[in-house]
């Protein structure tokens, strides 16, 4: 294990990281994932190559989890539509988006008008194949480009879906825990249920895996828990099985949509002022990049469950575009070209920066609280008195000394002062070394 986690960014070759992340996405892209089934298993097996100690957990289909029932496990082998000449006009073998995810098995010959309600396209983006699911309603369907749909002539079509909904199956997820000096946990969670879609959400998956590798390789103060879960039902099931562990979560982030070129968005936790909310905002502010902060909403991804009325965990979400707002969302337009290596690497670096703040943020108590300490006699004041402006390291030290009453954290000082968090954390270390400050 190398140096402290908060120093993990030092010497990082972002170009190499970006290539590795994009390469990992390209490998995961063809797999037909869903909320259950072999696609998730195959994905977790690949992620285990990068995430040390990634364990696969699961519950049987039919398991009750709060208000939900775990659905049967879905498996699909083949799905196509043939026209009267025997030509496959839609074929799952060409793209797994072509079949509605969780379609029941079908073998039938139908007129176009009977088939038509089972066909989904995007007239406003006629070349894209939409992504549709039917997890909780027994149904079937196909998705195709609108350009192809309008070419279908009236007549008979042979429809075949070789799928299975196994009542004795399982819902599975991947989980890795990296213990730190304290049991306080940082949760990093991402959904692994989408098939061939990149920004939503292979980008979140590969960035989370890379973060897990970085966390595992460094000394750390907090304990880190990584979840690779099917969206929605996965977080419901996890919470229903881990209410005790959930209480240890002191900060959390939901990773999704981290590869498109949009500026960063931070979605606040339900609490709105949790440490993670202040840490993420501070990192974005200090990075000097365009970003926006949006309020909590009870939809989007798994923050809806981690931030439920009961659990109300301090879990936010740092993304590029948000859920449903980027061109290509939930369609074949969300492909390997949309998601760029340099963007993925930048997202990874921003997450590392947030973790660095969580690692370094703490409350201190001034050991000379009565008035401003005399920095000069300790060699901490490089300049003679009487100057109009103080040099920044000294300003940072004065802020830390002033704020360190045992109740305010370095993040509070970063907000009050407008100074970068790292400068305050460096100042705090120096002040501790000189006996002026002690951890509260
Ligand atoms: Zn989605």
């Amino acid at each position: 294990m190398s140096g402290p986690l908060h120093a993990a960014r030092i010497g990082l070759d972002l170009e190499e990281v970006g290539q590795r992340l994009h390469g990992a996405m390209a490998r995961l892209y063809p797999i037909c994932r869903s909320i259950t089934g072999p696609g998730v298993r195959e994905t977790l097996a690949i992620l285990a190559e990068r995430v040390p100690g990634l364990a696969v957990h699961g519950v049987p289909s039919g398991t009750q989890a709060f208000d939900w029932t775990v659905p049967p496990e879905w498996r699909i082998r083949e799905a196509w539509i043939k026209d009267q000449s025997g030509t496959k006009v839609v074929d799952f073998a060409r793209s797994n988006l072509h079949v509605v995810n969780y379609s029941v098995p079908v073998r039938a010959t139908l007129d176009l008008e009977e088939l038509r309600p089972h066909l989904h396209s995007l007239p406003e983006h006629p070349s894209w194949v939409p992504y549709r699911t039917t997890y909780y309603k027994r149904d079937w369907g196909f998705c195709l480009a609108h350009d192809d749909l309008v070419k279908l002539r009236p007549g008979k079509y042979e429809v075949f879906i070789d799928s299975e909904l196994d009542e004795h199956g399982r819902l599975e997820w991947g989980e890795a825990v990296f213990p730190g000096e304290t049991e306080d946990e940082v949760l990093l969670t991402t959904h692994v249920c989408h098939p061939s879609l990149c920004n939503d959400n292979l980008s979140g998956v590969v960035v989370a895996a890379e973060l897990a590798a970085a966390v595992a390789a460094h000394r750390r103060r907090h304990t880190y828990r990584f979840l690779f879960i099917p969206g929605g039902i996965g977080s419901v099931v996890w919470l229903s099985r881990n209410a005790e562990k959930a209480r240890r979560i002191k900060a959390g982030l939901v990773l999704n949509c981290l590869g498109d070129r949009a500026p960063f968005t931070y979605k606040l936790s339900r609490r709105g002022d949790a440490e993670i909310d202040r840490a993420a905002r501070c990192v974005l502010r200090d990075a000097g990049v365009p970003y926006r902060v949006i309020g909590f909403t009870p939809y989007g991804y798994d923050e809806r469950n981690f931030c439920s009325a009961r659990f109300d965990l301090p879990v936010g979400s740092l993304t590029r575009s948000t859920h449903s707002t980027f061109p290509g969302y939930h369609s074949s337009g969300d492909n390997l070209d949309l998601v760029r290596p340099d963007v993925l690497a930048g997202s990874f670096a921003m997450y590392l920066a947030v973790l660095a703040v969580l690692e370094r943020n703490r409350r201190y108590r001034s050991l000379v609280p009565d008035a401003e300490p005399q920095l000069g006699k300790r060699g901490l004041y490089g300049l003679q008195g009487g100057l109009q402006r103080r040099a920044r390291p000294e300003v940072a030290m004065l802020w830390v000394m002033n704020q360190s009453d045992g109740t305010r954290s370095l993040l509070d000082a970063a907000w009050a002062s407008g100074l970068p968090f790292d400068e305050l954390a460096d100042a705090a270390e120096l002040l501790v070394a000189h006996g002026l400050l002690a951890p509260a």
Side-chain angles (χ1 to χ4, degrees), residues 84-114:
Q84 276 162 313
S85 73
T87 305
K88 286 181 184 171
V89 291
V90 182
D91 189 357
F92 171 75
R94 285 201 282 270
S95 163
N96 56 45
L97 298 181
H98 278 312
V99 70
V100 172
N101 204 289
Y102 255 74
S103 283
V104 297
V106 177
R107 183 187 277 281
T109 302
L110 301 172
D111 284 322
L112 180 59
E113 62 216 64
E114 294 171 292

Side-chain angles (χ1 to χ4, degrees), residues 131 191 194 200 301 323 329-330:
Y131 162 56
H191 60 282
H194 287 27
D200 174 20
Y301 292 106
H323 173 258
Y329 171 76
H330 277 194

Side-chain angles (χ1 to χ4, degrees), residues 25-239:
M25 288 185 54
R27 192 171 160 208
L28 294 166
Y29 183 68
I31 300 171
C32 181
R33 278 164 294 269
S34 183
I35 53 174
T36 62
V40 173
R41 258 172 233 129
E42 190 184 343
T43 298
L44 294 177
I46 290 172
L47 293 176
E49 296 172 15
R50 189 75 187 134
V51 181
L54 182 68
V56 177
H57 298 259
V59 293
S61 297
T63 299
Q64 200 63 32
F66 300 138
D67 204 30
W68 295 76
T69 307
V70 172
E73 180 176 324
W74 186 64
R75 298 181 204 116
I76 178 142
R77 289 169 282 271
E78 204 180 334
W80 43 256
I81 303 172
K82 281 182 187 169
D83 66 13
Q84 276 162 313
S85 73
T87 305
K88 286 181 184 171
V89 291
V90 182
D91 189 357
F92 171 75
R94 285 201 282 270
S95 163
N96 56 45
L97 298 181
H98 278 312
V99 70
V100 172
N101 204 289
Y102 255 74
S103 283
V104 297
V106 177
R107 183 187 277 281
T109 302
L110 301 172
D111 284 322
L112 180 59
E113 62 216 64
E114 294 171 292
L115 177 59
R116 188 64 188 78
H118 294 280
L119 302 181
H120 307 277
S121 69
L122 294 167
E124 62 277 25
H125 294 290
S127 65
W128 291 343
V129 178
Y131 162 56
R132 294 277 186 276
T133 66
T134 184
Y135 304 140
Y136 301 105
K137 178 176 169 239
R138 297 264 168 142
D139 199 358
W140 62 271
F142 287 87
C143 301
L144 66 165
H146 196 70
D147 287 341
D148 293 330
L149 187 143
V150 296
K151 284 185 208 147
L152 298 179
R153 294 288 144 237
K156 296 279 185 199
Y157 288 88
E158 191 185 345
V159 173
F160 180 58
I161 299 179
D162 180 13
S163 67
E164 142 186 35
L165 286 161
D166 182 358
E167 304 281 356
H168 302 289
R170 288 173 75 72
L171 175 136
E172 289 172 335
W173 68 91
E175 189 163 351
V177 181
F178 304 103
E181 292 161 19
T182 74
E183 287 198 340
D184 285 353
E185 284 195 5
V186 177
L187 174 72
L188 293 148
T189 178
T190 193
H191 60 282
V192 292
C193 52
H194 287 27
S196 294
L197 297 167
C198 285
N199 201 31
D200 174 20
N201 184 41
L202 286 176
S203 69
V205 172
V206 298
V207 170
E210 191 72 10
L211 277 174
V215 165
H218 290 84
R219 221 168 55 238
R220 57 210 166 250
R221 190 173 132 216
H222 302 304
T223 292
Y224 287 81
R225 184 178 298 275
F226 286 80
L227 295 180
F228 298 87
I229 52 178
I233 188 73
S235 50
V236 172
V237 168
W238 190 86
L239 284 166

Side-chain angles (χ1 to χ4, degrees), residues 8 38 245 345 349 401:
K245 287 179 191 160
M401 290 303 294

